[in-house]
Structures are given as C-alpha cells and as structure tokens.
Amino acid sequence: MVDPHPRWLRWPSEAQRGRLAFGADYNPDQWPREVWDEDVRLMRAAGVNVVSLAIFSWARIQPTEDTWDFGWLDDVMDLLHANGIAVDLATATASPPPWLTAKHPDILPVTANGETLWPGARQHWRPTSPIFREYALRLVRVMAQRYAGHPALAAWHVSNELGCHNVYDYSDDAARAFRSWLRARYGTLDKLNEAWATSFWAQRYSAWEQILPPRLAATHPNPTQQLDFKRFSSDALRDYLRAERDLLRAITPDVPVTTNFMVMAETKGMDYASWAAEVDFVANDHYVRPGPQALDELSFSANLTGHLAGGHPWFLMEHSTSAVNWQPINIAKRSGELLRDSLTHVAHGADAVCFFQWRQSAGGAEKYHSAMLPHAGADSDVFRSVTQLGQALDALAPVAGSVRRPARAAILFDWNSWWASEADSHPTSRLRYRQEALDWYSAFLTLGVRVDVLPAAAAFENYDLVVAPVLHVVPAPLVERLTRYAAGGGHLVTTYFSGIVNEHDHIWLGGYPGALRDILGVRIEEFSPLLDHDTVELDNGVTGTLWTDRIDLVDPAVEVLAWYKSGEHTGRPAITRRPVGDGSAAYVSTRLGPAGLRPVLEELLAAAGLHSELPAEIRGHVELAMRETDVAQFLFLINRTDEPVDLSAIDGEPLVGAGTEATASPEPLTLAPRGVAVLRRT
Ligand code: GAL
C-alpha cells in the first residue's frame, strides 16, 4: 500500500479535495470581453471547476519591456472566482514576446545543423539562456506578487510542456551549460575521456572548452556524448523548472506548483522519472494517436503517469475532446470515446480531467483543434458529451483522493534504455523501445491481467512478475537488484538487446546479454537482426520480426519455452527460462508483437502463479483498473471493444453506469460499446 500522505503531494486547494477537478486551458485573451460572460455561464453548465489561465499571455501581460497590463487578467481572475472556478495560473513564460526576441535574438534555440529556430510559432527559447531566464523570472516574480493573495489561485503552472519544441538546443549557451554539467558528472577530463571512449577516432579532449554538443558531424557523433547530451538536455529543463518553482515557493509558499508533463507516445526527451519529485503534484498531457493500440497506449501512459506520481492522484492537465490539429490526418473522436478516454485516465489515478482548450479558437494555428466548446457552439454533440462527462465526474466524487491498487505484475520503463537503444550505429535502426513495452502491455490487457508500468528506479521488489523489455542500459547496481529480485523468488522477464551496456554505453564484455548473462543462463556471440520483411517462425506458433539471437545455453537448468523453427537459427532456443531459487529469469530473443506475446505471457504468468481478476468470458474485452481508500475499492471496467459486454458477474455498487450514458444504473450491468463502468466495493 502506498503512503497516503506523501510530503510532496500538495493538491490545488482544499476546496478541490473530495471532488474530481474538471476543466481546461482557458485563453480569454483570444476573445472580446463580452464572450467571457458566456464562457463562465457555460463552464458552470458543464460542471467546470478549474481552468489553466494565461499560458501563452506573456506578450499581452508585458506588451513592452517596461509596461505591464494586468487589468484584463485581474478581471478574468475575479470573474472566475465569482463563479466558483479555481485557477491553475500559468507563469506565462512558455512563449517569449516579439520585443524580447527582437532585442535578444541570442535566446533563440539552435538546431544540430546550426539553424536558428525563429520566433513566429511558440517556445522559441534556449533552456540554458541566462538572458531568457532573467526576463522569465522577472515575469514570474511580478505574477506571483500580484496574485499571491487572490482567492481564485489554486496552483501554479510553470511554463507549459517544458521541452515540447525546445528540448534539444545546440547553441553556444547550451555548449557552456553542457560543459558545466559534464564537469559535475565526471570531475576530471580523464574520467570523461574514459567514459566517452575518446581513444576511438582521435576524439581525446585536452581542455573542457573543446567539448561541444553533438552538432551535425561528418558521421555518427560519439554515442556516449549523444547519450550524455540527452541526459543533460532533460536536466537543463528540470533546472529551469526548479528556478521558476523556487521563486514561486518563496513568494507563495502555500500554493502548490506543477508543470504539465507529456507522458505520451512521441515524447522522448524528458526523463520524467527524474522530474516527478520536483513538483507538488504530477500533471500530464496526453493525446491519442489513432491506430490499433490507441486505447492501450492511452492506458499505458496513464498507468506510467500514476507511478511517476508514486501511486497517488495526479492531474490530467490536457487531452482533447475530439480531433487535434497536428497529426497528418486529424480524426474526430467517435461517440463514447470522450467519456471513455477521460475515465481511463481517472482509472489510473487522475483526480482531474482537463482539456486543451475551453473554447475552440477562431484564428491561429490551433483553430482546427477540438475544444470543450466547439466552433458549432453549445448546441453540439461535443458540448453535450462534455456536460455528460461533468456529471460522471460528479458521480465519481467518492473516488477523489483514492490511490492506485498495486497489481502483482509490473513492466519497467527506463528513459536511459529508451535513449540508448534507439541510437544510431546499432545492429538495427528499426528498434522502437516504447513500442516493445507497449506490446507487452497490450498482451497483459488481452489476457485481462492488471499490470503496473513503473519507472526502472521504482521499487519492483514486491511484484511477483517483472517484465523489463529492451532493458538496454544496465548499470552494476541494477544488475544486483535484478539478480536479488529473481533469487528472492521474483519472476524476471527480459528481451532482445537487454543487459548490453553500462551507464557509459560501454559493452558488458564476455558475450551478450552481458550484464544479464549469468542470471538468464544464456550466451549470445553475435546479434542477428532481421531485414524489414523477414520473419521467423517459432515452434509455439508465433512469428518473430526485427531481431533474433543465436542462443547458447550455458546453464543446463535453463528450459527452452520456444525454439526457432525457421531462419538461420532453426533448432536453436528462441525463448528461455532459467529457474533461480524460487524465482526465474526468462529471455525473449525476438520481437513478437502483442498477438505473439500473448501465449508467451500466458505461460510466464501461469508459472509465476498470476491470474486474471476478471471472469474468463470478458478477459480482453474489458480493461480492469483499481483504486482504493482505507474503506473502499473502486473497479474501473473499460470496454476495449465496439460491442456490448455483460458485466453481471461482477459485484459492486455502480457509481457510473455502463453505457455512454453517465448515469448510475441499478440494473445488472451491460457495458455499452466503448462504455465505462465504475463499481464501488466497501
Ligand atoms: C499541447 C499544448 C497546448 C496545445 C495542445 C494541442 O502540446 O500544451 O497548448 O498546443 O498541445 O494538442
């Protein structure tokens, strides 16, 4: 059971406790004053109780270096407060105004190719620019002092999606900051030279000033330099977050501070596992990528966010009511999906459901992005669904403050392995770290078995089964932890290209999978990646792609769970499992995808004594997620299909009914297509 009162969890205002927060980014500065009255009237009608304000308002608040215009923001704050709507107030530093970039073009980010990212869009600032920081912190100070005592102020929203467009900056500011970061990490140039293996290609440094970010080079830049630059870039933004946060805490010590993370498919640059402890509560933005695993990916991201938050409630700061504007083709959500997607986040611990944005813009780059109040106005299906969601969140008030109920199985997610395994100059450029982790997650969902997605540094020792897909970077202490885990009765599962390098991206020598060779009891001399259209058959009926290994068994106790029956390694082991004390260590040497992983996982779960908590008939049709308090359990049952699902075998008092209608239903439950039911057990 997680600690119910962590020191760092400070929720936006007492008034928000005991209910789920509901709202959006609110951009009243895009609209004339008379529209605001309609906004708050409709917000109330929909049940909105919180908005994020002033995210992109720097140029409006500070029209020139020496003038300030707070009148409009004062009015909006007062209006929202008078209508019972709390404000998550942005520091407004996300996008610098034209006067600032005109005066100081050296705050603009520079790409690896040396191109400047000019103003005209947003977030065009260098995370390491001392000049940008000076201007931004001046604004933060003025904002904090002005609104310190305002009754609407519930939380601070630092910048916006830090790193969304500017995580990698290769400017001279970045070069200087990178060198300081490296000095702190390595202390001496000798240590850096050793870690970066600079004897290779005559790269040895004799002075710190010679070191640069990995700018466009003749061919593959030094891999450890690249990995360290990724670590540095994530840390540089975190450092910026700390600077705004510390100033806010000094001026308004009682107001919690957050920033919106982007735990979602395409966002790779920020190691949020190292950011989570910096905020008073974790907030996340999530957008669905259409495709066969869209809902699984949403659940995976929400699950991981819940564990970044240590199992405690977190804040869904943005998602969309319907289409976005930034994918190649932007499709509208289908009926039921708005409610289902929102409640899937709640199922994984969100105590707030917010959208980008309240009112759909009439102009600007996001005018085709959906909102709570669409171009069509309140007489629209989107607004009716929004209102229905508001009612569902009201009915779910008892869930507020509850924690995630831990599963018995976990998937480990590690940013260092993500970064390093997808680097250039590797056996294949096709490996996708997050996709492999997601495929395992989909296999769990198909089998109806709950699983927690944990950052690799989290405590996994109490789980019965731990899957560590493509755990590529394994520093010595992690080898020890994993070895102790299996020896202590845990069941460890890992895959191809795991255990290969240490924290400096140096190979663990002696045969692959290096650091995990002993515990797995297998040895591989050479990697055997597959060409794009090549496949291999396994004797358990599944098909591998992407990767294979020529496995030698080095421990006679190792069992072979599946053999290659086609390809170069025909007749050799493809999936192995080594008993270790009461536990085991299994190795899957090829990419099987969600369907191929399903029978493999089924066998691994059975050996670990793990079973689905759902009746057999509905496994795979329904995702089960659970939250709990000291006195109640909440079962979230999410229909993953477009067919109705019979839930009559499951007990519990319905808080939210089973259809797309968000009403409690006393009848035995049938989940409508894409429906969600929430049952309470006391
Ligand atoms: C987020 C951003 C919002 C909006 C949204 C559109 O990245 O924070 O301001 O742009 O995406 O999906």
Side-chain angles (χ1 to χ4, degrees), residues 25 56 122 160-161 164 285 287 318 324 326 356 366 369:
D25 287 8
F56 293 106
R122 65 174 177 185
N160 189 61
E161 290 191 342
C164 182
D285 295 354
Y287 291 94
E318 290 181 24
V324 299
W326 43 264
F356 174 82
E366 294 184 321
H369 193 296

Side-chain angles (χ1 to χ4, degrees), residues 172-252:
D172 290 342
D173 281 332
R176 277 185 287 273
F178 187 37
R179 286 175 208 129
S180 313
W181 184 92
L182 291 167
R183 273 177 191 264
R185 183 174 175 85
Y186 295 110
T188 67
L189 267 185
D190 280 349
K191 288 215 170 99
L192 177 137
N193 278 311
E194 196 188 319
W196 285 20
T198 55
S199 320
F200 187 79
W201 283 352
Q203 292 172 352
R204 192 170 181 82
Y205 295 98
S206 56
W208 290 97
E209 293 62 39
Q210 298 158 0
I211 301 174
L212 292 169
R215 292 176 177 163
L216 180 66
T219 182
H220 311 295
N222 180 303
T224 315
Q225 176 192 17
Q226 292 195 60
L227 180 58
D228 272 347
F229 189 68
K230 289 197 164 65
R231 292 169 171 147
F232 153 78
S233 299
S234 174
D235 286 1
L237 283 162
R238 188 185 59 183
D239 189 66
Y240 178 80
L241 161 63
R242 286 177 179 155
E244 281 206 19
R245 180 208 57 196
D246 290 349
L247 184 52
L248 292 165
R249 281 189 181 158
I251 300 169
T252 55

Side-chain angles (χ1 to χ4, degrees), residues 127-335:
T128 56
S129 161
I131 298 176
F132 176 79
R133 191 176 286 204
E134 187 185 319
Y135 279 91
L137 292 186
R138 180 173 174 220
L139 174 61
V140 174
R141 179 183 300 281
V142 174
M143 290 284 283
Q145 284 168 342
R146 184 164 193 99
Y147 294 107
H150 199 287
L153 178 64
W156 286 112
H157 179 119
V158 167
S159 189
N160 189 61
E161 290 191 342
L162 287 165
C164 182
H165 311 293
N166 63 349
V167 56
Y168 297 123
D169 162 45
Y170 298 79
S171 66
D172 290 342
D173 281 332
R176 277 185 287 273
F178 187 37
R179 286 175 208 129
S180 313
W181 184 92
L182 291 167
R183 273 177 191 264
R185 183 174 175 85
Y186 295 110
T188 67
L189 267 185
D190 280 349
K191 288 215 170 99
L192 177 137
N193 278 311
E194 196 188 319
W196 285 20
T198 55
S199 320
F200 187 79
W201 283 352
Q203 292 172 352
R204 192 170 181 82
Y205 295 98
S206 56
W208 290 97
E209 293 62 39
Q210 298 158 0
I211 301 174
L212 292 169
R215 292 176 177 163
L216 180 66
T219 182
H220 311 295
N222 180 303
T224 315
Q225 176 192 17
Q226 292 195 60
L227 180 58
D228 272 347
F229 189 68
K230 289 197 164 65
R231 292 169 171 147
F232 153 78
S233 299
S234 174
D235 286 1
L237 283 162
R238 188 185 59 183
D239 189 66
Y240 178 80
L241 161 63
R242 286 177 179 155
E244 281 206 19
R245 180 208 57 196
D246 290 349
L247 184 52
L248 292 165
R249 281 189 181 158
I251 300 169
T252 55
D254 298 329
V255 181
V257 181
T258 195
T259 192
N260 40 350
F261 295 175
M262 293 171 281
V263 178
M264 61 178 124
E266 49 283 300
T267 309
K268 185 174 166 189
M270 281 66 65
D271 175 2
Y272 291 126
S274 77
W275 287 39
E278 304 293 339
V279 290
D280 291 319
F281 59 96
V282 167
N284 196 46
D285 295 354
H286 185 272
Y287 291 94
V288 173
R289 278 260 166 200
Q293 284 172 286
L295 181 59
D296 297 359
E297 193 288 320
L298 188 166
S299 170
F300 179 94
S301 292
N303 192 323
L304 175 56
T305 307
H307 288 98
L308 292 170
H312 299 288
W314 52 278
F315 205 104
L316 178 65
M317 194 65 89
E318 290 181 24
H319 69 151
S320 67
T321 57
S322 191
V324 299
N325 66 307
W326 43 264
Q327 292 170 356
I329 299 172
N330 297 296
I331 59 170
K333 288 199 179 181
R334 298 175 302 165
S335 152

